[in-house]
Amino acid sequence: MSGRSEEEFYVVNSYTEWDPLEEVVVGSLAGGVFPTWQESMGPTLPHDSVRIFKERGGTPLPAEHAAAAEEELDGFAAVLRERGITVVRPEPADHARTFGTPQWQSAGNSSGMPRDLLIVVGDTIVETPMSWRCRKHEVDAFRGLIKSYFRRGGGWLAAPQPELKDTLFDGDFDAATETGWAVSDFEPVFDAADFMRFGDDLIVQRSHVTNEFGIEWMRRALGSRFRVHEVPVNDPHAMHIDATMVPLAPGKLLVNPDRYIPNPLFRDWEILEAPKPALGPDWPMYFCSPWLSMNVLSLDEKTIVVERQEQPLLDALTDWGFTCVPVDFRHVYSFGGSFHCATLDVRRRGRGGTYLNGTA
Ligand code: DAV
């Protein structure tokens, strides 16, 4: 494990959201439970989830719906494999088990959404300091994979372990005006899904799970090659940027028309407004909004995995010149994400570069 040969250097290699995909982690909802409630979840969640999490935190996800979601994840993995992409999965985990620190106790959540926990920047996998207590040990199901990549030459960087004491959640969020943030700057916290990768540049949003301290930690940890740009968005419920601004190819940004604020970094980019989601109001959505329609996965600059029933988006992307691969994923939606959230692209071809305006 000393040094890296030229070949090993490519074991972990992913700089963008659109370079040709070669290896990817796909999450699993097996063993998943409802989150243990904490106040800082409130501003990010659909209204009914507050009660549901308070009542059912730590108890298993609804069995039939979760089994259907797991089948969709398996089906998605099969579609990727058929296209020659290497797919790896987490180890089994029992998220009902409780854990804690001297300050607090919690059960877990699920292994469904690796995008939230981990981010690959170039040749390195970064482990994030998540602010939901129930998610503190979620990464353990992926640890075998991370160690294996490291042994084969990949980089591995873990953020400082947050304490997640009450002080962290003493943010300035005001429910009446829906302004401010649920987390303070007591210590660095961020979810990986608040970042998006554009070669040597990353964008990030401040959110109810990502604070300024966390953004600054990431900026310094990544070093001088990478530039981290905090972008303003119009989203009082902000948690994860991947249903707000999704780059599909160099110069093509899919945006949420309710949330995107025009940004000079994208001056020369074509801005594609996502059509309204197809999902009706009665579908159970415990974590997210129907804008998960936008949470697509690019297989390369031309090819995008899109939920099979999102016809308006399928039509729009086809009109814009993309080839869409429709995959069933609505049951997965219910548990906190779509194709981008449920994956972690470990290897894409490409070696970085400058794509955003005014950054070189
Ligand atoms: O619209 O609820 C979803 C982002 C999931 N990673 C939303 C944000």
Side-chain angles (χ1 to χ4, degrees), residues 274-338:
K276 288 227 178 313
L279 195 74
D282 296 330
W283 192 254
M285 291 291 275
Y286 299 109
F287 296 83
C288 295
S289 81
W291 282 111
L292 280 185
S293 55
M294 289 182 57
N295 193 255
V296 297
L297 185 73
S298 292
L299 303 186
D300 56 48
E301 291 183 11
K302 288 260 153 234
T303 316
I304 307 177
V305 181
V306 182
E307 214 288 328
R308 193 184 303 281
Q309 297 185 64
E310 297 292 348
Q311 200 59 49
L313 184 61
L314 285 160
D315 292 343
L317 292 175
T318 307
D319 283 354
W320 289 326
F322 293 99
T323 301
C324 293
V325 181
V327 171
D328 290 310
F329 226 54
R330 273 196 175 180
H331 294 84
V332 180
Y333 275 21
S334 301
F335 303 114
S338 189

Coordinates of all heavy atoms in Angstrom, one line a residue, residues 274-338:
A274 N -36.2 22.5 -15.8 CA -36.9 21.2 -15.7 C -38.4 21.4 -15.7 O -38.9 22.3 -15.1 CB -36.5 20.5 -14.4
P275 N -39.1 20.6 -16.5 CA -40.6 20.7 -16.4 C -41.1 20.2 -15.1 O -40.4 19.6 -14.3 CB -41.1 19.7 -17.5 CG -39.9 18.9 -17.9 CD -38.7 19.6 -17.4
K276 N -42.3 20.6 -14.8 CA -42.9 20.2 -13.5 C -42.9 18.7 -13.3 O -43.1 17.9 -14.3 CB -44.3 20.7 -13.4 CG -44.4 22.2 -13.2 CD -45.4 22.6 -12.1 CE -45.5 24.1 -11.8 NZ -44.1 24.7 -11.7
P277 N -42.7 18.2 -12.1 CA -42.6 16.7 -11.9 C -44.0 16.1 -12.2 O -45.0 16.7 -12.1 CB -42.4 16.6 -10.4 CG -41.9 17.9 -9.9 CD -42.4 18.9 -10.9
A278 N -43.9 14.8 -12.6 CA -45.1 14.1 -13.0 C -45.8 13.4 -11.8 O -47.0 13.1 -11.8 CB -44.8 13.0 -14.0
L279 N -45.1 13.3 -10.7 CA -45.6 12.6 -9.5 C -46.9 13.3 -8.9 O -46.8 14.5 -8.7 CB -44.5 12.5 -8.4 CG -44.7 11.5 -7.3 CD1 -44.6 10.1 -7.8 CD2 -43.8 11.8 -6.2
G280 N -47.9 12.5 -8.6 CA -49.1 13.1 -8.0 C -48.9 13.3 -6.5 O -48.0 12.8 -5.9
P281 N -49.9 14.0 -5.9 CA -49.7 14.4 -4.5 C -49.9 13.3 -3.5 O -49.6 13.4 -2.3 CB -50.8 15.5 -4.3 CG -51.8 15.2 -5.4 CD -51.1 14.6 -6.5
D282 N -50.5 12.1 -4.0 CA -50.8 11.0 -3.0 C -49.7 10.0 -2.8 O -49.8 9.1 -2.0 CB -52.1 10.3 -3.5 CG -53.3 11.2 -3.4 OD1 -53.3 12.2 -2.6 OD2 -54.2 11.1 -4.3
W283 N -48.6 10.1 -3.6 CA -47.5 9.2 -3.5 C -46.8 9.4 -2.2 O -46.5 10.6 -1.9 CB -46.6 9.3 -4.7 CG -45.6 8.2 -4.8 CD1 -44.3 8.3 -4.5 CD2 -45.9 6.8 -5.2 NE1 -43.7 7.0 -4.7 CE2 -44.6 6.1 -5.2 CE3 -47.0 6.2 -5.6 CZ2 -44.5 4.8 -5.5 CZ3 -46.9 4.8 -6.0 CH2 -45.7 4.2 -5.9
P284 N -46.5 8.4 -1.4 CA -45.8 8.7 -0.1 C -44.4 9.2 -0.4 O -43.6 8.6 -1.1 CB -45.7 7.3 0.6 CG -46.1 6.3 -0.5 CD -46.8 7.0 -1.5
M285 N -44.1 10.4 0.2 CA -42.7 11.0 0.1 C -42.3 11.4 1.5 O -42.7 12.4 2.0 CB -42.8 12.2 -0.8 CG -43.1 11.8 -2.3 SD -41.7 11.0 -3.1 CE -40.7 12.4 -3.6
Y286 N -41.5 10.5 2.1 CA -41.2 10.7 3.5 C -40.0 11.8 3.7 O -39.9 12.3 4.8 CB -40.7 9.4 4.2 CG -41.8 8.4 4.2 CD1 -41.7 7.3 3.4 CD2 -43.0 8.5 4.9 CE1 -42.7 6.3 3.3 CE2 -44.0 7.6 4.9 CZ -43.9 6.5 4.1 OH -44.9 5.5 4.1
F287 N -39.2 12.0 2.7 CA -38.0 12.8 2.8 C -38.0 14.0 1.9 O -37.5 15.1 2.3 CB -36.8 12.0 2.6 CG -36.5 10.9 3.5 CD1 -37.2 9.7 3.4 CD2 -35.7 11.0 4.6 CE1 -36.9 8.6 4.3 CE2 -35.4 10.0 5.5 CZ -36.1 8.8 5.3
C288 N -38.5 13.8 0.7 CA -38.2 14.8 -0.4 C -39.4 15.3 -1.1 O -40.5 14.8 -0.9 CB -37.3 14.1 -1.5 SG -35.7 13.6 -0.9
S289 N -39.2 16.3 -1.9 CA -40.3 16.8 -2.8 C -40.3 16.0 -4.1 O -39.4 15.3 -4.4 CB -40.0 18.3 -3.0 OG -39.0 18.4 -4.1
P290 N -41.4 16.2 -4.9 CA -41.5 15.5 -6.2 C -40.4 16.0 -7.2 O -40.3 15.4 -8.2 CB -42.9 15.9 -6.7 CG -43.6 16.3 -5.5 CD -42.6 16.9 -4.5
W291 N -39.7 17.0 -6.8 CA -38.6 17.5 -7.7 C -37.5 16.5 -7.8 O -36.5 16.7 -8.6 CB -38.1 18.8 -7.3 CG -39.0 20.0 -7.7 CD1 -39.7 20.8 -6.8 CD2 -39.2 20.5 -9.0 NE1 -40.4 21.7 -7.5 CE2 -40.1 21.6 -8.9 CE3 -38.7 20.1 -10.3 CZ2 -40.5 22.3 -10.0 CZ3 -39.2 20.8 -11.4 CH2 -40.1 21.9 -11.2
L292 N -37.6 15.4 -7.1 CA -36.7 14.2 -7.4 C -36.7 13.8 -8.8 O -35.8 13.1 -9.3 CB -37.1 13.0 -6.5 CG -36.7 13.0 -5.1 CD1 -37.1 11.7 -4.4 CD2 -35.2 13.3 -4.9
S293 N -37.7 14.2 -9.6 CA -37.7 14.0 -11.0 C -36.4 14.4 -11.7 O -35.9 13.8 -12.6 CB -38.9 14.8 -11.7 OG -38.8 16.2 -11.4
M294 N -35.8 15.5 -11.2 CA -34.6 16.1 -11.7 C -33.3 15.4 -11.3 O -32.2 15.6 -11.8 CB -34.4 17.5 -11.1 CG -35.3 18.6 -11.6 SD -34.8 20.1 -10.9 CE -33.1 20.3 -11.3
N295 N -33.5 14.4 -10.3 CA -32.3 13.8 -9.7 C -31.9 12.6 -10.6 O -31.9 11.5 -10.2 CB -32.8 13.3 -8.3 CG -31.6 12.9 -7.4 OD1 -31.4 11.7 -7.2 ND2 -30.9 13.9 -6.9
V296 N -31.4 13.0 -11.8 CA -31.1 12.0 -12.8 C -29.6 11.7 -12.7 O -28.8 12.3 -12.0 CB -31.4 12.6 -14.2 CG1 -32.9 12.8 -14.4 CG2 -30.6 13.9 -14.5
L297 N -29.2 10.6 -13.4 CA -27.8 10.2 -13.4 C -27.3 10.2 -14.9 O -27.9 9.5 -15.7 CB -27.6 8.8 -12.8 CG -26.1 8.4 -12.7 CD1 -25.4 9.2 -11.6 CD2 -26.0 6.9 -12.5
S298 N -26.3 11.0 -15.2 CA -25.7 11.0 -16.5 C -24.7 9.8 -16.6 O -23.9 9.6 -15.7 CB -24.9 12.2 -16.8 OG -25.8 13.3 -16.9
L299 N -24.9 9.0 -17.7 CA -24.0 7.9 -17.9 C -22.8 8.4 -18.8 O -21.7 7.8 -18.8 CB -24.7 6.7 -18.6 CG -25.9 6.2 -17.8 CD1 -26.4 4.9 -18.5 CD2 -25.5 5.9 -16.4
D300 N -23.0 9.4 -19.6 CA -22.0 10.1 -20.3 C -22.6 11.4 -20.8 O -23.8 11.7 -20.4 CB -21.4 9.3 -21.5 CG -22.5 8.8 -22.5 OD1 -23.4 9.7 -22.9 OD2 -22.6 7.6 -22.8
E301 N -22.0 12.2 -21.6 CA -22.5 13.5 -22.0 C -23.8 13.5 -22.8 O -24.4 14.5 -23.0 CB -21.4 14.2 -22.9 CG -20.2 14.6 -22.1 CD -19.2 15.4 -23.0 OE1 -19.6 15.8 -24.1 OE2 -18.1 15.6 -22.5
K302 N -24.2 12.3 -23.3 CA -25.4 12.2 -24.1 C -26.5 11.4 -23.5 O -27.6 11.4 -23.9 CB -24.9 11.5 -25.4 CG -24.1 12.4 -26.4 CD -25.0 13.0 -27.4 CE -24.5 14.3 -27.9 NZ -25.4 15.4 -27.9
T303 N -26.1 10.6 -22.5 CA -27.0 9.5 -22.0 C -27.4 9.7 -20.5 O -26.5 9.8 -19.7 CB -26.4 8.1 -22.2 OG1 -25.7 8.1 -23.5 CG2 -27.4 7.0 -22.1
I304 N -28.7 9.7 -20.3 CA -29.2 10.0 -18.9 C -30.2 9.0 -18.4 O -31.2 8.7 -19.2 CB -29.8 11.4 -18.9 CG1 -28.8 12.5 -19.5 CG2 -30.2 11.8 -17.5 CD1 -29.4 13.8 -19.6
V305 N -30.1 8.5 -17.2 CA -31.1 7.7 -16.6 C -32.2 8.6 -16.0 O -31.9 9.4 -15.2 CB -30.5 6.7 -15.6 CG1 -31.6 5.8 -15.0 CG2 -29.4 5.9 -16.1
V306 N -33.4 8.3 -16.4 CA -34.6 9.2 -16.0 C -35.7 8.2 -15.5 O -35.8 7.1 -16.1 CB -35.1 10.0 -17.2 CG1 -36.2 10.9 -16.7 CG2 -33.9 10.9 -17.8
E307 N -36.4 8.7 -14.5 CA -37.5 7.8 -14.0 C -38.6 7.6 -15.2 O -38.9 8.5 -15.9 CB -38.2 8.5 -12.8 CG -38.7 7.5 -11.8 CD -39.9 6.7 -12.2 OE1 -40.8 7.3 -13.0 OE2 -40.1 5.6 -11.8
R308 N -39.0 6.3 -15.3 CA -39.8 5.9 -16.4 C -41.1 6.7 -16.6 O -41.6 6.9 -17.7 CB -40.2 4.4 -16.3 CG -40.7 3.8 -17.6 CD -41.2 2.4 -17.4 NE -40.1 1.5 -17.0 CZ -39.1 1.0 -17.8 NH1 -39.1 1.3 -19.0 NH2 -38.2 0.2 -17.3
Q309 N -41.7 7.2 -15.4 CA -43.0 7.9 -15.5 C -42.9 9.4 -15.6 O -43.9 10.1 -15.6 CB -43.8 7.5 -14.3 CG -44.2 6.0 -14.3 CD -45.1 5.6 -13.2 OE1 -46.3 6.0 -13.2 NE2 -44.6 4.8 -12.3
E310 N -41.6 9.9 -15.7 CA -41.5 11.4 -15.8 C -41.5 11.8 -17.2 O -40.5 12.3 -17.8 CB -40.1 11.8 -15.1 CG -40.0 11.5 -13.6 CD -41.0 12.4 -12.8 OE1 -41.5 13.4 -13.3 OE2 -41.1 12.0 -11.6
Q311 N -42.7 11.6 -17.8 CA -42.8 11.8 -19.3 C -42.4 13.3 -19.7 O -41.7 13.4 -20.7 CB -44.2 11.5 -19.8 CG -44.2 11.2 -21.3 CD -43.3 10.1 -21.7 OE1 -43.3 9.0 -21.1 NE2 -42.5 10.4 -22.7
P312 N -42.8 14.3 -19.0 CA -42.5 15.7 -19.4 C -40.9 15.8 -19.4 O -40.4 16.5 -20.4 CB -43.1 16.6 -18.3 CG -44.2 15.8 -17.7 CD -43.8 14.3 -17.8
L313 N -40.2 15.3 -18.4 CA -38.8 15.4 -18.4 C -38.1 14.6 -19.5 O -37.2 15.0 -20.2 CB -38.2 15.1 -17.0 CG -36.7 15.2 -16.9 CD1 -36.3 16.7 -17.1 CD2 -36.2 14.8 -15.5
L314 N -38.7 13.4 -19.7 CA -38.2 12.5 -20.8 C -38.3 13.2 -22.1 O -37.3 13.2 -22.9 CB -38.9 11.2 -20.8 CG -38.6 10.2 -19.7 CD1 -39.7 9.2 -19.5 CD2 -37.3 9.4 -20.0
D315 N -39.4 13.8 -22.3 CA -39.6 14.6 -23.6 C -38.7 15.7 -23.7 O -38.1 16.0 -24.8 CB -41.1 15.1 -23.7 CG -42.1 13.9 -23.8 OD1 -41.7 12.8 -24.2 OD2 -43.3 14.2 -23.6
A316 N -38.6 16.5 -22.6 CA -37.7 17.7 -22.7 C -36.3 17.3 -22.9 O -35.6 17.9 -23.8 CB -37.8 18.5 -21.4
L317 N -35.8 16.3 -22.2 CA -34.4 15.9 -22.4 C -34.1 15.3 -23.8 O -33.1 15.6 -24.4 CB -34.0 14.9 -21.3 CG -33.9 15.4 -19.9 CD1 -33.6 14.3 -18.9 CD2 -32.9 16.5 -19.8
T318 N -35.1 14.6 -24.3 CA -35.0 14.1 -25.7 C -34.9 15.2 -26.7 O -34.0 15.3 -27.6 CB -36.1 13.1 -26.0 OG1 -36.2 12.1 -25.0 CG2 -35.9 12.4 -27.4
D319 N -35.8 16.2 -26.5 CA -35.8 17.4 -27.3 C -34.4 18.1 -27.3 O -34.0 18.7 -28.2 CB -36.8 18.4 -26.9 CG -38.2 18.0 -27.4 OD1 -38.3 17.1 -28.1 OD2 -39.2 18.7 -27.0
W320 N -33.8 18.1 -26.1 CA -32.5 18.8 -25.9 C -31.4 18.0 -26.5 O -30.2 18.3 -26.3 CB -32.3 19.1 -24.4 CG -33.2 20.2 -23.9 CD1 -33.6 21.3 -24.6 CD2 -33.7 20.4 -22.6 NE1 -34.4 22.1 -23.8 CE2 -34.5 21.6 -22.6 CE3 -33.7 19.6 -21.5 CZ2 -35.2 22.0 -21.5 CZ3 -34.3 20.0 -20.3 CH2 -35.1 21.2 -20.3
G321 N -31.7 16.8 -27.1 CA -30.6 16.1 -27.7 C -30.0 14.9 -26.9 O -29.0 14.3 -27.4
F322 N -30.6 14.6 -25.8 CA -30.1 13.5 -25.0 C -30.8 12.2 -25.3 O -31.9 12.2 -25.8 CB -30.3 13.8 -23.5 CG -29.5 15.0 -23.0 CD1 -30.0 16.2 -22.8 CD2 -28.1 14.8 -22.7 CE1 -29.3 17.3 -22.4 CE2 -27.4 15.9 -22.2 CZ -27.9 17.1 -22.1
T323 N -30.1 11.1 -25.0 CA -30.7 9.8 -25.1 C -31.1 9.4 -23.7 O -30.2 9.4 -22.8 CB -29.7 8.8 -25.6 OG1 -29.3 9.2 -26.9 CG2 -30.3 7.4 -25.7
C324 N -32.4 9.2 -23.4 CA -32.8 8.8 -22.1 C -32.9 7.3 -21.9 O -33.4 6.6 -22.8 CB -34.2 9.5 -21.8 SG -34.1 11.2 -21.7
V325 N -32.5 6.8 -20.7 CA -32.7 5.4 -20.4 C -33.7 5.4 -19.3 O -33.5 5.8 -18.1 CB -31.4 4.8 -19.8 CG1 -31.5 3.4 -19.4 CG2 -30.2 5.0 -20.8
P326 N -35.0 5.0 -19.6 CA -36.0 5.1 -18.6 C -35.9 3.9 -17.6 O -35.8 2.8 -18.1 CB -37.3 5.0 -19.4 CG -37.0 4.7 -20.8 CD -35.5 4.6 -20.9
V327 N -36.0 4.2 -16.3 CA -35.9 3.1 -15.3 C -37.0 3.4 -14.2 O -37.2 4.5 -13.9 CB -34.5 3.1 -14.7 CG1 -34.4 2.2 -13.5 CG2 -33.4 2.7 -15.7
D328 N -37.7 2.3 -13.8 CA -38.6 2.5 -12.7 C -37.9 2.8 -11.4 O -37.0 2.1 -11.0 CB -39.4 1.2 -12.5 CG -40.3 0.9 -13.7 OD1 -41.1 1.8 -14.1 OD2 -40.3 -0.2 -14.2
F329 N -38.4 3.8 -10.7 CA -37.7 4.2 -9.4 C -38.6 4.9 -8.4 O -38.2 5.4 -7.4 CB -36.5 5.1 -9.8 CG -35.3 4.8 -9.1 CD1 -34.7 3.5 -9.1 CD2 -34.5 5.7 -8.4 CE1 -33.5 3.2 -8.5 CE2 -33.3 5.4 -7.7 CZ -32.8 4.1 -7.8
R330 N -40.0 4.9 -8.7 CA -40.8 5.7 -7.8 C -40.9 5.3 -6.4 O -41.1 6.1 -5.5 CB -42.3 5.7 -8.4 CG -42.5 6.7 -9.4 CD -44.0 6.9 -9.6 NE -44.2 8.0 -10.5 CZ -45.4 8.4 -10.9 NH1 -46.5 7.8 -10.4 NH2 -45.5 9.4 -11.7
H331 N -40.7 3.9 -6.2 CA -40.8 3.5 -4.8 C -39.5 3.9 -4.0 O -39.5 4.2 -2.8 CB -40.9 1.9 -4.7 CG -42.2 1.4 -5.3 ND1 -42.5 1.3 -6.6 CD2 -43.4 1.2 -4.6 CE1 -43.7 0.8 -6.8 NE2 -44.3 0.8 -5.6
V332 N -38.4 4.0 -4.8 CA -37.2 4.5 -4.1 C -37.4 6.0 -3.8 O -36.9 6.4 -2.7 CB -35.9 4.4 -5.1 CG1 -34.7 4.9 -4.4 CG2 -35.7 2.9 -5.5
Y333 N -38.0 6.8 -4.6 CA -38.3 8.2 -4.3 C -38.8 8.3 -2.9 O -38.4 9.3 -2.2 CB -39.5 8.7 -5.2 CG -39.2 9.2 -6.6 CD1 -38.1 8.9 -7.3 CD2 -40.2 10.0 -7.1 CE1 -38.0 9.4 -8.6 CE2 -40.0 10.5 -8.4 CZ -38.9 10.2 -9.2 OH -38.8 10.7 -10.4
S334 N -39.7 7.5 -2.5 CA -40.3 7.6 -1.2 C -39.3 7.7 0.0 O -39.6 8.3 1.0 CB -41.3 6.4 -0.9 OG -42.2 6.4 -1.9
F335 N -38.2 7.0 -0.2 CA -37.2 6.9 0.9 C -36.0 7.8 0.8 O -35.0 7.6 1.4 CB -36.8 5.4 1.0 CG -38.0 4.5 1.2 CD1 -38.4 3.6 0.3 CD2 -38.8 4.7 2.4 CE1 -39.5 2.8 0.5 CE2 -39.9 3.9 2.6 CZ -40.2 2.9 1.6
G336 N -36.1 8.9 0.0 CA -35.1 9.9 0.1 C -34.3 10.2 -1.1 O -33.3 11.0 -1.0
G337 N -34.6 9.7 -2.3 CA -33.8 10.1 -3.4 C -34.1 9.4 -4.7 O -34.9 8.4 -4.7
S338 N -33.5 9.8 -5.8 CA -33.6 9.1 -7.0 C -32.2 8.7 -7.5 O -31.3 8.4 -6.7 CB -34.4 10.0 -8.1 OG -34.6 9.2 -9.2

